[in-house]
Amino acid sequence: MFNKPYQFKKSVWFLALLAAGLSQAKAQQEQVKGATQDESGKFISGVSIKAVHGGSGKAFTTSSTDKGLFSFRTLPEGGPYQFIFTSVGFQPDTLSGYTIQQGKPLALSVKLSPITTDLEEVVIGYGRIARKDVTSSITTVQAEDMNVGVFTSPAQMLQGKVPGLTISTNNSNPNATPSVSLRGASTLRSGEAMEPYYVIDGVPGASLALVAPDDVQSIDVLRDASATAIYGSKAANGVIIVTTKRGKTGQTSINYNGYLSLDRVAKRYEMMNAEQHRNFVLENGYSLEPADDLGADTDWQREVERTGVSNNHNISILGGAEKTQYSVSLNTIKNNGVIKGTDMGRQIGRGFLQTKALDDRLTASFNINTSITKQNDVLALDQGLSVYDAMYYYLPVSPVRRADGSWFETPDRSQYANPVSLIEENTNFSKTKVIQAHAKVGYEILPSLTYNIDLSMQNRQFNNAQYYSSLSMAARGQNGRSIRAAVEDERKVMEMNLSYDKTFNDLHKISALAGYSWEENNNNDGFQLTTSDYYDDEVGYYNPGMANVVDMLGFGPYYLSTLRMISVYGRLNYSYNSKYLFQATVRRDGSSAFGANNRWATFPSVSAAWRLSEEDFIRKAGIFDDLKLRAGYGVSGNSLGFDAFTAQRVFGATRNFFDYVIDEDKVTPLRTLAALRNSNPNLKWETTSMINLGLDFGFLRNRLTGSVEVYQKKTSDLIYDYQVSLSKYIFPILTANVGEIENRGIELTLNGKVIDKENVKWNTGVVLSHNTNKVVSIANEEFTRDFIELSDLGGAGQTGISQQRLTPGAPIGQFYTWEWAGYNEDGISVFNERDEQTGELTGGTTATPQRKDQTVTGSPQPKLVLGWNNTFTYKNLSLTGMFQGAFEQQIMNATRARHSNVFGNAGQKNLLASVLETEKPRDINSHYLSDRYLENGSFLRLAYLTLAYTLPIKNLPIKNLRVYTTMNNVFVLTKYKGIDPEVGLGGLTPGIDNRQTYPRTRTFMFGLNFNL
């Protein structure tokens, strides 16, 4: 039935083939084997090893195991092969010249060096570069070195960390955003036109609301034009590049960071209490209205304040395999301000996925980010309708409520409102939703040539709801007033570029980039509805259809603005033996925001560096471990803050109505149409050119490192609104390019490892910045102006009198005020009198000063800005603190002037307690804004102090369990008499403290973070 000899032969052949197959499999496994270690000999897992065949260019990839071992099994025979080893946190290494031969397996071993300051990579825009090859002014701040606090914006984490970067957070309002400026103000426009350009994970112009501070891995600040010119027309104020945390190959972790914080007001104005005010009125011939004095002693500041309790929770999952990395995070924060009715809540979700395909030549990534922000705020209007003003001026002799439970109000008194009722009877709620999707694909066409394409879309929806109740002092007689607004912004960006990186003969390194960018912004697409006369306050703003009156002028300034920009750009980097370095960039931008004759502009830059420490004569000196001289020049522009109508002729509806007669018995009111803006076909970009010289150095085995920077920044073709003749134009104002601003400065950075022992370490870092700001001109042949007046702060007897001027030869914000000359025989403040023609002192004084009597009295620009960071570590215990300061700037304390108005306020409004010692009781001019209220704003603040302890946990899945406590605004040393001296260090009107200041707080945080 069976042929046994045949079966036997068949079995022998099968065993022989099986043995041959096993032998071949073993041979494949033994083609290449090896191990990856660090410098101490410890095996490293998750190291990516790429084998590149020199002839065909084909690449094969594997990674080391958890024991640090790796192997290749199926490499084509021949060669030469190049083996490239890469791992996060280590310097890449390459082994070259190997040949694969059958039966001759290769044994490889590599020790990877950790990345040091000299070898780490920095982001330069559309790419990365080794720190040692940088030719521009770029500062990198890693996550572990950033500030700690209750922050709602990543920008706050940089305060005191970057030379030349001024971040002013002059109040603790949870809804406020910090003012950010780099190397001085260089425009006459406000808002985003004054601030740096933000790039998040490669997406230019992305919203900071999409990034939780805990998700930030590093921030690179591009400070000079040779670095920023690659971003062209949006980079005049510098570029801040945020990189978020991503998963790593071979590592998976679940991370948590959370804190609870308590906020208390750090300093209050000492206002008169009830007894002091009654005595002052009685003793100096003033009178209190009997209806005001009900025997109370109310501290209005404490009535509107509370302890702000806030919390933050951040959970993230990071990980990756050989070819795929991912990260997911969720952040929620609730920040309750110290003023009742002010709070901010935000939830942020982020997801990222990256993978490789096609023999690792294709890298594709996708991330989606969302945030929802909800905010409540209180009234901060003028005419006294501000909680931040009323909490000081309301009389202490009056109670919060009357005996019948109604608010204690005095409606017939000008600019006088109960601050508690301003909170309780008015609602201001906002909700903002932002969603962003970003996809990126990179394809390695050749081993040194990669094609990249980025696509991103961002949508922002803003909704605001306000309701003024029938008892609101802000809507008197309207029987309830509602405002609802809904606005949408949309942004689309496409970036394509080719990048080339090649090293020849281990000496010549060339990196080149050529790209194309397309961007479209559809902003301000929305509407507003304003209604009043409600039947019941309970309806609130939810049902405007219940109102009886629709405000025909209350539809809001919302109109769709579509802007498009097309750009081409290129960059070339060359390095000879990492000793002589060169970089050149160029970008050409075209934007629909500008006039038809000037929609295109070119922004070039060039920079070079000489690594002197690579020269033999420097090495032999034995002094420097690192020494690099840098020089750069570049041109960038400022197109931020424009809409599609800036350069266009616009007609629209005015606030006026006329009666349109339909027939004899029917008349209807219609809106009047008129010109609202002139066209300017010659309107173009503001252009900033900058020269930067830098010296980087390192001593004592790089235990002391630092840099010195000197720069000159000139901005020309400043954009401002000028008065024009109606005989030539259809509207009396024209937006035009006129003027020039110059900033010059010097910056110093020092970082030292004072103590660097196994269990004890002390690291310290200092950044010092000096900037001189000057308005060079504000006129040309067509538009002639000697000065521009700013900061009309109001006040009785001072209508139309401004406190600052833009004047050629002077800094932005220069104070131009009266000079206080003491008192006359009647105890009235008098001021120096000046000649109207010459402006010189006449030698006389006057109690009724005029505009002609004003003169230059000071500057709000600091002469020195300081950041001093320290970290002390003892085993698992660390103490970190940061001092910040600004020196030799002046502040106009209009708040103190307002509450020192003895003649106007006594018996009508409250006064500062200091008035009892500083003011004459019958001085009708005590509140006049003269140099008397210009104060020295110099300060030194211990911005935060953090004590942390990492628990030594063993045999548990929890890693890096760290508990910490932080105090923000520990103390401040200053002579300033206001609440806080950090007043408006940026913007067009810096140094103004005028009645609308949210109290500065002292924060106590208790936090916990760990990994699984």
Side-chain angles (χ1 to χ4, degrees), residues 545-571:
M546 293 291 291
N548 291 294
V549 176
V550 176
D551 186 353
M552 296 301 295
L553 298 175
F555 292 104
Y558 303 113
Y559 39 83
L560 176 63
S561 170
T562 299
L563 287 177
R564 295 184 181 90
M565 177 175 286
I566 296 175
S567 308
V568 291
Y569 53 87
R571 178 174 60 222

PDB file of all heavy atoms in Angstrom, residues 545-571:
ATOM      1  N   GLY A 545     -35.056  88.064  22.277  1.00  0.00           N
ATOM      2  CA  GLY A 545     -36.368  88.286  21.677  1.00  0.00           C
ATOM      3  C   GLY A 545     -37.398  88.799  22.668  1.00  0.00           C
ATOM      4  O   GLY A 545     -38.462  89.286  22.264  1.00  0.00           O
ATOM      5  N   MET A 546     -37.099  88.712  23.983  1.00  0.00           N
ATOM      6  CA  MET A 546     -38.003  89.220  25.004  1.00  0.00           C
ATOM      7  C   MET A 546     -37.841  90.719  25.232  1.00  0.00           C
ATOM      8  O   MET A 546     -38.621  91.326  25.959  1.00  0.00           O
ATOM      9  CB  MET A 546     -37.756  88.488  26.319  1.00  0.00           C
ATOM     10  CG  MET A 546     -38.129  87.004  26.290  1.00  0.00           C
ATOM     11  SD  MET A 546     -39.903  86.758  26.174  1.00  0.00           S
ATOM     12  CE  MET A 546     -40.427  87.335  27.792  1.00  0.00           C
ATOM     13  N   ALA A 547     -36.827  91.318  24.608  1.00  0.00           N
ATOM     14  CA  ALA A 547     -36.614  92.753  24.778  1.00  0.00           C
ATOM     15  C   ALA A 547     -37.592  93.554  23.932  1.00  0.00           C
ATOM     16  O   ALA A 547     -38.132  93.064  22.933  1.00  0.00           O
ATOM     17  CB  ALA A 547     -35.183  93.111  24.395  1.00  0.00           C
ATOM     18  N   ASN A 548     -37.795  94.802  24.347  1.00  0.00           N
ATOM     19  CA  ASN A 548     -38.701  95.681  23.620  1.00  0.00           C
ATOM     20  C   ASN A 548     -37.977  96.689  22.734  1.00  0.00           C
ATOM     21  O   ASN A 548     -38.599  97.339  21.905  1.00  0.00           O
ATOM     22  CB  ASN A 548     -39.593  96.434  24.610  1.00  0.00           C
ATOM     23  CG  ASN A 548     -40.581  95.514  25.303  1.00  0.00           C
ATOM     24  OD1 ASN A 548     -41.468  94.960  24.674  1.00  0.00           O
ATOM     25  ND2 ASN A 548     -40.413  95.333  26.614  1.00  0.00           N
ATOM     26  N   VAL A 549     -36.655  96.821  22.941  1.00  0.00           N
ATOM     27  CA  VAL A 549     -35.883  97.806  22.179  1.00  0.00           C
ATOM     28  C   VAL A 549     -34.663  97.119  21.580  1.00  0.00           C
ATOM     29  O   VAL A 549     -33.927  96.410  22.276  1.00  0.00           O
ATOM     30  CB  VAL A 549     -35.436  98.979  23.077  1.00  0.00           C
ATOM     31  CG1 VAL A 549     -34.548  99.942  22.278  1.00  0.00           C
ATOM     32  CG2 VAL A 549     -36.636  99.713  23.648  1.00  0.00           C
ATOM     33  N   VAL A 550     -34.460  97.331  20.290  1.00  0.00           N
ATOM     34  CA  VAL A 550     -33.264  96.868  19.603  1.00  0.00           C
ATOM     35  C   VAL A 550     -32.428  98.095  19.232  1.00  0.00           C
ATOM     36  O   VAL A 550     -32.929  99.006  18.570  1.00  0.00           O
ATOM     37  CB  VAL A 550     -33.611  96.058  18.343  1.00  0.00           C
ATOM     38  CG1 VAL A 550     -32.336  95.666  17.599  1.00  0.00           C
ATOM     39  CG2 VAL A 550     -34.414  94.822  18.709  1.00  0.00           C
ATOM     40  N   ASP A 551     -31.181  98.098  19.670  1.00  0.00           N
ATOM     41  CA  ASP A 551     -30.293  99.227  19.399  1.00  0.00           C
ATOM     42  C   ASP A 551     -29.796  99.133  17.956  1.00  0.00           C
ATOM     43  O   ASP A 551     -29.014  98.239  17.610  1.00  0.00           O
ATOM     44  CB  ASP A 551     -29.118  99.196  20.380  1.00  0.00           C
ATOM     45  CG  ASP A 551     -28.218 100.414  20.252  1.00  0.00           C
ATOM     46  OD1 ASP A 551     -28.416 101.215  19.313  1.00  0.00           O
ATOM     47  OD2 ASP A 551     -27.314 100.572  21.098  1.00  0.00           O
ATOM     48  N   MET A 552     -30.220 100.050  17.118  1.00  0.00           N
ATOM     49  CA  MET A 552     -29.846 100.022  15.706  1.00  0.00           C
ATOM     50  C   MET A 552     -28.388 100.388  15.482  1.00  0.00           C
ATOM     51  O   MET A 552     -27.867 100.220  14.373  1.00  0.00           O
ATOM     52  CB  MET A 552     -30.742 100.970  14.909  1.00  0.00           C
ATOM     53  CG  MET A 552     -32.217 100.579  14.907  1.00  0.00           C
ATOM     54  SD  MET A 552     -32.489  98.923  14.222  1.00  0.00           S
ATOM     55  CE  MET A 552     -31.988  99.184  12.529  1.00  0.00           C
ATOM     56  N   LEU A 553     -27.711 100.882  16.525  1.00  0.00           N
ATOM     57  CA  LEU A 553     -26.286 101.193  16.415  1.00  0.00           C
ATOM     58  C   LEU A 553     -25.438 100.172  17.167  1.00  0.00           C
ATOM     59  O   LEU A 553     -24.227 100.359  17.305  1.00  0.00           O
ATOM     60  CB  LEU A 553     -26.000 102.594  16.969  1.00  0.00           C
ATOM     61  CG  LEU A 553     -26.699 103.744  16.244  1.00  0.00           C
ATOM     62  CD1 LEU A 553     -26.421 105.058  16.961  1.00  0.00           C
ATOM     63  CD2 LEU A 553     -26.257 103.822  14.794  1.00  0.00           C
ATOM     64  N   GLY A 554     -26.067  99.121  17.648  1.00  0.00           N
ATOM     65  CA  GLY A 554     -25.367  98.166  18.505  1.00  0.00           C
ATOM     66  C   GLY A 554     -25.072  96.839  17.859  1.00  0.00           C
ATOM     67  O   GLY A 554     -25.109  95.801  18.540  1.00  0.00           O
ATOM     68  N   PHE A 555     -24.778  96.827  16.560  1.00  0.00           N
ATOM     69  CA  PHE A 555     -24.504  95.571  15.880  1.00  0.00           C
ATOM     70  C   PHE A 555     -23.021  95.194  15.877  1.00  0.00           C
ATOM     71  O   PHE A 555     -22.659  94.136  15.378  1.00  0.00           O
ATOM     72  CB  PHE A 555     -25.031  95.619  14.443  1.00  0.00           C
ATOM     73  CG  PHE A 555     -26.528  95.660  14.371  1.00  0.00           C
ATOM     74  CD1 PHE A 555     -27.194  96.841  14.075  1.00  0.00           C
ATOM     75  CD2 PHE A 555     -27.291  94.530  14.629  1.00  0.00           C
ATOM     76  CE1 PHE A 555     -28.574  96.881  14.023  1.00  0.00           C
ATOM     77  CE2 PHE A 555     -28.665  94.562  14.583  1.00  0.00           C
ATOM     78  CZ  PHE A 555     -29.328  95.751  14.283  1.00  0.00           C
ATOM     79  N   GLY A 556     -22.184  96.056  16.418  1.00  0.00           N
ATOM     80  CA  GLY A 556     -20.786  95.705  16.590  1.00  0.00           C
ATOM     81  C   GLY A 556     -19.924  95.904  15.359  1.00  0.00           C
ATOM     82  O   GLY A 556     -20.420  95.932  14.233  1.00  0.00           O
ATOM     83  N   PRO A 557     -18.604  96.012  15.572  1.00  0.00           N
ATOM     84  CA  PRO A 557     -17.668  96.252  14.456  1.00  0.00           C
ATOM     85  C   PRO A 557     -17.194  94.955  13.816  1.00  0.00           C
ATOM     86  O   PRO A 557     -15.996  94.677  13.727  1.00  0.00           O
ATOM     87  CB  PRO A 557     -16.513  96.964  15.164  1.00  0.00           C
ATOM     88  CG  PRO A 557     -16.489  96.330  16.523  1.00  0.00           C
ATOM     89  CD  PRO A 557     -17.919  96.013  16.874  1.00  0.00           C
ATOM     90  N   TYR A 558     -18.132  94.132  13.370  1.00  0.00           N
ATOM     91  CA  TYR A 558     -17.766  92.822  12.826  1.00  0.00           C
ATOM     92  C   TYR A 558     -18.052  92.773  11.334  1.00  0.00           C
ATOM     93  O   TYR A 558     -19.175  93.027  10.886  1.00  0.00           O
ATOM     94  CB  TYR A 558     -18.532  91.720  13.551  1.00  0.00           C
ATOM     95  CG  TYR A 558     -18.295  91.735  15.039  1.00  0.00           C
ATOM     96  CD1 TYR A 558     -19.327  92.047  15.923  1.00  0.00           C
ATOM     97  CD2 TYR A 558     -17.030  91.465  15.559  1.00  0.00           C
ATOM     98  CE1 TYR A 558     -19.103  92.078  17.289  1.00  0.00           C
ATOM     99  CE2 TYR A 558     -16.797  91.489  16.922  1.00  0.00           C
ATOM    100  CZ  TYR A 558     -17.842  91.801  17.785  1.00  0.00           C
ATOM    101  OH  TYR A 558     -17.618  91.835  19.137  1.00  0.00           O
ATOM    102  N   TYR A 559     -17.023  92.435  10.564  1.00  0.00           N
ATOM    103  CA  TYR A 559     -17.162  92.329   9.115  1.00  0.00           C
ATOM    104  C   TYR A 559     -16.070  91.375   8.634  1.00  0.00           C
ATOM    105  O   TYR A 559     -14.927  91.386   9.115  1.00  0.00           O
ATOM    106  CB  TYR A 559     -17.014  93.694   8.427  1.00  0.00           C
ATOM    107  CG  TYR A 559     -15.957  94.572   9.025  1.00  0.00           C
ATOM    108  CD1 TYR A 559     -14.618  94.426   8.659  1.00  0.00           C
ATOM    109  CD2 TYR A 559     -16.280  95.536   9.981  1.00  0.00           C
ATOM    110  CE1 TYR A 559     -13.639  95.227   9.215  1.00  0.00           C
ATOM    111  CE2 TYR A 559     -15.304  96.322  10.552  1.00  0.00           C
ATOM    112  CZ  TYR A 559     -13.984  96.171  10.166  1.00  0.00           C
ATOM    113  OH  TYR A 559     -13.005  96.949  10.730  1.00  0.00           O
ATOM    114  N   LEU A 560     -16.418  90.509   7.735  1.00  0.00           N
ATOM    115  CA  LEU A 560     -15.483  89.499   7.253  1.00  0.00           C
ATOM    116  C   LEU A 560     -14.304  90.150   6.533  1.00  0.00           C
ATOM    117  O   LEU A 560     -14.480  90.981   5.648  1.00  0.00           O
ATOM    118  CB  LEU A 560     -16.198  88.528   6.314  1.00  0.00           C
ATOM    119  CG  LEU A 560     -15.317  87.460   5.650  1.00  0.00           C
ATOM    120  CD1 LEU A 560     -14.702  86.548   6.693  1.00  0.00           C
ATOM    121  CD2 LEU A 560     -16.127  86.664   4.642  1.00  0.00           C
ATOM    122  N   SER A 561     -13.110  89.745   6.935  1.00  0.00           N
ATOM    123  CA  SER A 561     -11.883  90.243   6.328  1.00  0.00           C
ATOM    124  C   SER A 561     -11.081  89.045   5.838  1.00  0.00           C
ATOM    125  O   SER A 561     -10.676  88.200   6.635  1.00  0.00           O
ATOM    126  CB  SER A 561     -11.068  91.050   7.345  1.00  0.00           C
ATOM    127  OG  SER A 561      -9.777  91.339   6.855  1.00  0.00           O
ATOM    128  N   THR A 562     -10.839  88.972   4.538  1.00  0.00           N
ATOM    129  CA  THR A 562     -10.087  87.861   3.955  1.00  0.00           C
ATOM    130  C   THR A 562      -8.733  88.358   3.479  1.00  0.00           C
ATOM    131  O   THR A 562      -8.658  89.252   2.633  1.00  0.00           O
ATOM    132  CB  THR A 562     -10.853  87.238   2.775  1.00  0.00           C
ATOM    133  OG1 THR A 562     -12.102  86.723   3.252  1.00  0.00           O
ATOM    134  CG2 THR A 562     -10.049  86.101   2.161  1.00  0.00           C
ATOM    135  N   LEU A 563      -7.693  87.788   4.050  1.00  0.00           N
ATOM    136  CA  LEU A 563      -6.327  88.138   3.671  1.00  0.00           C
ATOM    137  C   LEU A 563      -5.619  86.904   3.141  1.00  0.00           C
ATOM    138  O   LEU A 563      -5.764  85.804   3.690  1.00  0.00           O
ATOM    139  CB  LEU A 563      -5.545  88.676   4.875  1.00  0.00           C
ATOM    140  CG  LEU A 563      -5.877  90.078   5.376  1.00  0.00           C
ATOM    141  CD1 LEU A 563      -5.044  90.395   6.604  1.00  0.00           C
ATOM    142  CD2 LEU A 563      -5.613  91.107   4.287  1.00  0.00           C
ATOM    143  N   ARG A 564      -4.838  87.089   2.105  1.00  0.00           N
ATOM    144  CA  ARG A 564      -4.047  85.993   1.549  1.00  0.00           C
ATOM    145  C   ARG A 564      -2.589  86.417   1.440  1.00  0.00           C
ATOM    146  O   ARG A 564      -2.291  87.580   1.170  1.00  0.00           O
ATOM    147  CB  ARG A 564      -4.572  85.569   0.175  1.00  0.00           C
ATOM    148  CG  ARG A 564      -5.964  84.975   0.203  1.00  0.00           C
ATOM    149  CD  ARG A 564      -6.391  84.475  -1.162  1.00  0.00           C
ATOM    150  NE  ARG A 564      -7.757  83.935  -1.115  1.00  0.00           N
ATOM    151  CZ  ARG A 564      -8.849  84.655  -1.324  1.00  0.00           C
ATOM    152  NH1 ARG A 564      -8.721  85.953  -1.608  1.00  0.00           N
ATOM    153  NH2 ARG A 564     -10.046  84.103  -1.258  1.00  0.00           N
ATOM    154  N   MET A 565      -1.723  85.450   1.643  1.00  0.00           N
ATOM    155  CA  MET A 565      -0.294  85.708   1.517  1.00  0.00           C
ATOM    156  C   MET A 565       0.367  84.536   0.802  1.00  0.00           C
ATOM    157  O   MET A 565       0.086  83.373   1.101  1.00  0.00           O
ATOM    158  CB  MET A 565       0.356  85.911   2.882  1.00  0.00           C
ATOM    159  CG  MET A 565       1.864  86.111   2.813  1.00  0.00           C
ATOM    160  SD  MET A 565       2.610  86.493   4.406  1.00  0.00           S
ATOM    161  CE  MET A 565       2.054  88.190   4.591  1.00  0.00           C
ATOM    162  N   ILE A 566       1.229  84.856  -0.141  1.00  0.00           N
ATOM    163  CA  ILE A 566       2.018  83.866  -0.861  1.00  0.00           C
ATOM    164  C   ILE A 566       3.492  84.205  -0.662  1.00  0.00           C
ATOM    165  O   ILE A 566       3.881  85.380  -0.749  1.00  0.00           O
ATOM    166  CB  ILE A 566       1.671  83.857  -2.357  1.00  0.00           C
ATOM    167  CG1 ILE A 566       0.218  83.418  -2.566  1.00  0.00           C
ATOM    168  CG2 ILE A 566       2.613  82.937  -3.130  1.00  0.00           C
ATOM    169  CD1 ILE A 566      -0.235  83.495  -4.002  1.00  0.00           C
ATOM    170  N   SER A 567       4.289  83.174  -0.385  1.00  0.00           N
ATOM    171  CA  SER A 567       5.702  83.418  -0.089  1.00  0.00           C
ATOM    172  C   SER A 567       6.567  82.334  -0.711  1.00  0.00           C
ATOM    173  O   SER A 567       6.147  81.179  -0.838  1.00  0.00           O
ATOM    174  CB  SER A 567       5.950  83.432   1.422  1.00  0.00           C
ATOM    175  OG  SER A 567       5.072  84.304   2.089  1.00  0.00           O
ATOM    176  N   VAL A 568       7.775  82.716  -1.067  1.00  0.00           N
ATOM    177  CA  VAL A 568       8.833  81.770  -1.409  1.00  0.00           C
ATOM    178  C   VAL A 568      10.032  82.128  -0.547  1.00  0.00           C
ATOM    179  O   VAL A 568      10.269  83.302  -0.241  1.00  0.00           O
ATOM    180  CB  VAL A 568       9.200  81.826  -2.906  1.00  0.00           C
ATOM    181  CG1 VAL A 568       8.074  81.276  -3.750  1.00  0.00           C
ATOM    182  CG2 VAL A 568       9.543  83.252  -3.344  1.00  0.00           C
ATOM    183  N   TYR A 569      10.768  81.115  -0.127  1.00  0.00           N
ATOM    184  CA  TYR A 569      11.874  81.379   0.785  1.00  0.00           C
ATOM    185  C   TYR A 569      12.990  80.370   0.559  1.00  0.00           C
ATOM    186  O   TYR A 569      12.792  79.286  -0.016  1.00  0.00           O
ATOM    187  CB  TYR A 569      11.411  81.330   2.242  1.00  0.00           C
ATOM    188  CG  TYR A 569      10.678  80.053   2.635  1.00  0.00           C
ATOM    189  CD1 TYR A 569      11.378  78.935   3.069  1.00  0.00           C
ATOM    190  CD2 TYR A 569       9.296  79.972   2.556  1.00  0.00           C
ATOM    191  CE1 TYR A 569      10.722  77.769   3.423  1.00  0.00           C
ATOM    192  CE2 TYR A 569       8.624  78.809   2.910  1.00  0.00           C
ATOM    193  CZ  TYR A 569       9.341  77.713   3.343  1.00  0.00           C
ATOM    194  OH  TYR A 569       8.686  76.557   3.687  1.00  0.00           O
ATOM    195  N   GLY A 570      14.168  80.724   0.995  1.00  0.00           N
ATOM    196  CA  GLY A 570      15.312  79.839   0.871  1.00  0.00           C
ATOM    197  C   GLY A 570      16.348  80.137   1.936  1.00  0.00           C
ATOM    198  O   GLY A 570      16.426  81.257   2.452  1.00  0.00           O
ATOM    199  N   ARG A 571      17.119  79.115   2.271  1.00  0.00           N
ATOM    200  CA  ARG A 571      18.189  79.299   3.259  1.00  0.00           C
ATOM    201  C   ARG A 571      19.355  78.391   2.879  1.00  0.00           C
ATOM    202  O   ARG A 571      19.168  77.258   2.419  1.00  0.00           O
ATOM    203  CB  ARG A 571      17.697  78.947   4.660  1.00  0.00           C
ATOM    204  CG  ARG A 571      18.786  79.086   5.733  1.00  0.00           C
ATOM    205  CD  ARG A 571      18.240  78.877   7.127  1.00  0.00           C
ATOM    206  NE  ARG A 571      17.658  77.572   7.309  1.00  0.00           N
ATOM    207  CZ  ARG A 571      16.520  77.342   7.959  1.00  0.00           C
ATOM    208  NH1 ARG A 571      15.846  78.349   8.481  1.00  0.00           N
ATOM    209  NH2 ARG A 571      16.059  76.117   8.084  1.00  0.00           N
TER     210      ARG A 571
END
